Amino acid sequence: MKISTVAQMRTLDCEASENLGIPETILMENAGEAAYFIVLKETGVAGKRFVLFCGPGNNGGDGFVVARKLRSSGAEVVVFLLATPGQFRGAAKKNLDILTRLSVPITELTSPEPALAPTAQCDAVIDAIFGTGLSRPVEGLARDIIGLINTRARKVYSLDIPSGIHGDTGEEMGCAVQADTTITFGLPKIGNLLYPGYARCGKLYVTHISFPPQHYDRDSITTAVNLPPSLPPRDKTGHKGSFGDVLFIAGAAGYLGAPYFSAYSFLKAGGGYSRLAAPAAIAPYIAMKGSELVLLPQTETPEGTLALSNKADLLKTAADRDLVVIGPGLALNAETQQLVRDVAAECDRPLLIDGDGLTAIAAAPESLATRKAPTILTPHAGEMARLVKKGIADIAKDRIGTLKEAAQAFKAVIVLKGAHSLIGYPDGRVYVNLSGNPGMAKAGTGDVLNGVIAAMHGLGLPIPEAVCKGVFLHGVAGDLAARNLGEDGISAQDILEHLPLAVELDREGLPEDLASRYRGCEVI
């Protein structure tokens, strides 16, 4: 499913009115009606008590429609305005006027006090304060009302997005409503699916408010939920080389886990032939844990890292591989960092760079300038900050914008790892991945991701699809591990061990509770 920015949704609304002849009043009616039916489904209506908080824009207008429909179906409804009646315009004003004639109690708030008892005593609150139009921190009366909703309400429905969440970034603008259910209109907004906004939404529904599919599924909307294509059937007559032959260049003294997890996860996710080029001194220890790996012991620096003198042999070995992974656990020795840059510049095979390899590239990004084969970068926020020369806080405020710029600048597919990892492409496409859980925030899990992406390519997916599929199945394996073991105690090894099941379920059908979460929202 596509995900829109606030500006894109405004454009869709305008085009619906101007080009399709769907007036604003109908769009607002459809939005309010969809929200009403969700309330009917989840709470019931007849004989129930509802409090609605409505702000001065169209989000407040949506709230008026909901209030009217609730009242007409036998609910007790109280509406509190966070604006004067004269501030409402267009369809919102029309719906306020209708509500007034229906004798629904409407109170203009100047303080939270009149809303204290009704909020605590009602069956549910409808949050229609800001919607996606918020661009500055919440303060004053609105801040007090959001605090009241969060502390007093039994259940909360937010219209479009919880008030206080930035529609384009998911950022909390000082404070935000904690909704149990959010009904968003047209398309999900970026803020609905990125943290912390995603956590504030609760269960997320979307209604297309009568937009035709070609209206919201256009190519100009380049952000979408990561729902990658199916894996090709496994060749029943294939040999190990049929399912990918990958070279991993990884490891250093004291860093045995990263090379093991990267190279071994490739096999556990379905890959066929895993070659690991690691410093000679640590190769025997890795072999004890991953005996199926083909070890290629390498010359070391005095610090126990890969020496630059290995370059020619590594490039020769890489030449016949389907993909090369470089960087996990390599350490920051200057000679080894130069090796990374030289291999990146001279290797003519698809290349995935992770971990300490990203630090090497950040110091000299021109290493990627002459590459013709596909490049994949898999940074976490700190590594991304080094790559793009920005602060981590700045990236957090605009993850998608930062990712788009970086993917275009480096001409690479980039996975920005984190809660709801993002996959960005040089052509501007971005996919938001919804699999995974907080228990995966552990050492080694990113190394496992490298091998899973490589395995997806080995199983027959082109690089762009392999990256999306790898990120997705890595999260699925983490969710399966958490289901069996609990989030707190799962490790990279647990995720690795759940990869075969993740792949099997992906082929045969995921459990509906997981599949539903991965879709991001339910369409109504």
Side-chain angles (χ1 to χ4, degrees), residues 290-315:
S291 57
E292 299 96 328
L293 304 176
V294 177
L295 272 297
L296 307 175
Q298 302 292 301
T299 303
E300 305 172 6
T301 67
E303 289 81 13
T305 66
L306 291 176
L308 184 58
S309 61
N310 296 301
K311 183 178 78 170
D313 285 342
L314 287 173
L315 288 171

Side-chain angles (χ1 to χ4, degrees), residues 385-443:
R386 290 193 287 274
L387 284 169
V388 300
K389 310 296 190 289
K390 290 183 179 181
I392 293 176
D394 295 325
I395 292 172
K397 289 181 179 179
D398 187 13
R399 294 177 70 209
I400 287 181
T402 300
L403 179 61
K404 285 186 174 184
E405 291 176 6
Q408 292 168 2
F410 289 104
K411 298 181 176 61
V413 180
I414 300 180
V415 180
L416 179 53
K417 296 182 292 193
H420 289 185
S421 293
L422 304 176
I423 305 121
Y425 294 86
D427 62 7
R429 286 177 297 148
V430 172
Y431 293 93
V432 181
N433 187 69
L434 303 181
S435 63
N437 61 82
M440 298 175 72
K442 303 280 179 63

Side-chain angles (χ1 to χ4, degrees), residues 123-146:
D123 293 287
V125 164
I126 312 296
D127 158 35
I129 301 172
F130 291 129
T132 60
L134 184 66
S135 59
R136 61 180 184 272
V138 178
E139 55 188 21
L141 176 62
R143 187 181 186 94
D144 294 338
I145 294 301
I146 289 174

Side-chain angles (χ1 to χ4, degrees), residues 84-427:
T84 64
Q87 290 179 270
F88 291 92
R89 299 285 185 271
K93 183 180 187 306
K94 288 181 181 179
N95 279 292
L96 175 58
D97 291 343
I98 292 171
L99 204 60
T100 301
R101 289 192 288 270
L102 291 175
S103 300
V104 171
I106 300 172
T107 302
E108 180 186 338
L109 291 176
T110 56
S111 74
E113 279 69 26
L116 290 176
T119 300
Q121 294 166 4
C122 71
D123 293 287
V125 164
I126 312 296
D127 158 35
I129 301 172
F130 291 129
T132 60
L134 184 66
S135 59
R136 61 180 184 272
V138 178
E139 55 188 21
L141 176 62
R143 187 181 186 94
D144 294 338
I145 294 301
I146 289 174
L148 170 64
I149 293 171
N150 288 344
T151 56
R152 295 289 187 97
R154 298 177 189 174
K155 187 163 188 173
V156 180
Y157 295 90
S158 284
L159 304 186
D160 218 6
I161 200 166
S163 292
I165 294 297
H166 194 291
D168 282 339
T169 67
E171 181 184 5
E172 241 180 68
M173 305 297 284
C175 66
V177 168
Q178 179 59 62
D180 296 286
T181 301
T182 298
I183 307 97
T184 195
F185 309 127
L187 286 173
K189 317 309 179 293
I190 291 170
N192 290 127
L193 294 175
L194 295 188
Y195 282 99
Y198 177 79
R200 288 292 192 179
C201 284
K203 185 172 184 180
L204 182 63
Y205 293 89
V206 62
T207 172
H208 298 311
I209 58 174
S210 76
F211 291 165
Q214 66 270 23
H215 191 61
Y216 56 75
D217 199 27
R218 57 186 61 183
D219 291 340
S220 59
I221 301 176
T222 56
T223 302
V225 175
N226 182 31
L227 294 171
S230 300
L231 284 169
R234 194 171 182 90
D235 184 356
K236 289 179 170 51
T237 63
H239 53 82
K240 59 180 178 288
S242 304
F243 306 110
D245 186 344
V246 174
L247 172 63
F248 295 84
I249 304 171
Y255 293 95
L256 280 68
Y260 161 75
F261 284 123
S262 293
Y264 202 66
S265 62
F266 171 74
L267 299 177
K268 297 291 282 186
Y273 204 146
S274 185
R275 304 170 193 258
L276 174 57
I282 69 170
Y285 298 99
I286 297 173
M288 292 172 64
K289 193 169 180 65
S291 57
E292 299 96 328
L293 304 176
V294 177
L295 272 297
L296 307 175
Q298 302 292 301
T299 303
E300 305 172 6
T301 67
E303 289 81 13
T305 66
L306 291 176
L308 184 58
S309 61
N310 296 301
K311 183 178 78 170
D313 285 342
L314 287 173
L315 288 171
K316 182 178 179 181
T317 303
D320 296 323
R321 308 287 76 82
D322 297 310
L323 183 143
V324 176
V325 176
I326 189 167
L330 283 182
L332 302 179
N333 174 277
E335 185 176 336
T336 308
Q337 294 273 291
Q338 187 60 50
L339 173 66
V340 173
R341 290 188 285 268
D342 287 355
V343 169
E346 299 176 39
C347 178
D348 62 359
R349 306 303 299 155
L351 182 67
L352 188 158
I353 307 174
D354 183 45
D356 296 324
L358 294 169
T359 301
I361 295 302
E366 64 274 11
S367 305
L368 302 181
T370 58
R371 284 190 51 75
K372 304 300 183 187
T375 305
I376 307 164
L377 309 179
T378 57
H380 55 56
E383 291 162 341
M384 182 63 119
R386 290 193 287 274
L387 284 169
V388 300
K389 310 296 190 289
K390 290 183 179 181
I392 293 176
D394 295 325
I395 292 172
K397 289 181 179 179
D398 187 13
R399 294 177 70 209
I400 287 181
T402 300
L403 179 61
K404 285 186 174 184
E405 291 176 6
Q408 292 168 2
F410 289 104
K411 298 181 176 61
V413 180
I414 300 180
V415 180
L416 179 53
K417 296 182 292 193
H420 289 185
S421 293
L422 304 176
I423 305 121
Y425 294 86
D427 62 7

Side-chain angles (χ1 to χ4, degrees), residues 491-512:
S491 66
Q493 183 68 37
D494 297 318
I495 297 167
L496 183 150
E497 295 297 342
H498 281 80
L499 285 171
L501 180 58
V503 175
E504 179 185 16
L505 290 175
D506 182 72
R507 289 187 183 278
E508 297 182 357
L510 291 164
E512 179 53 33

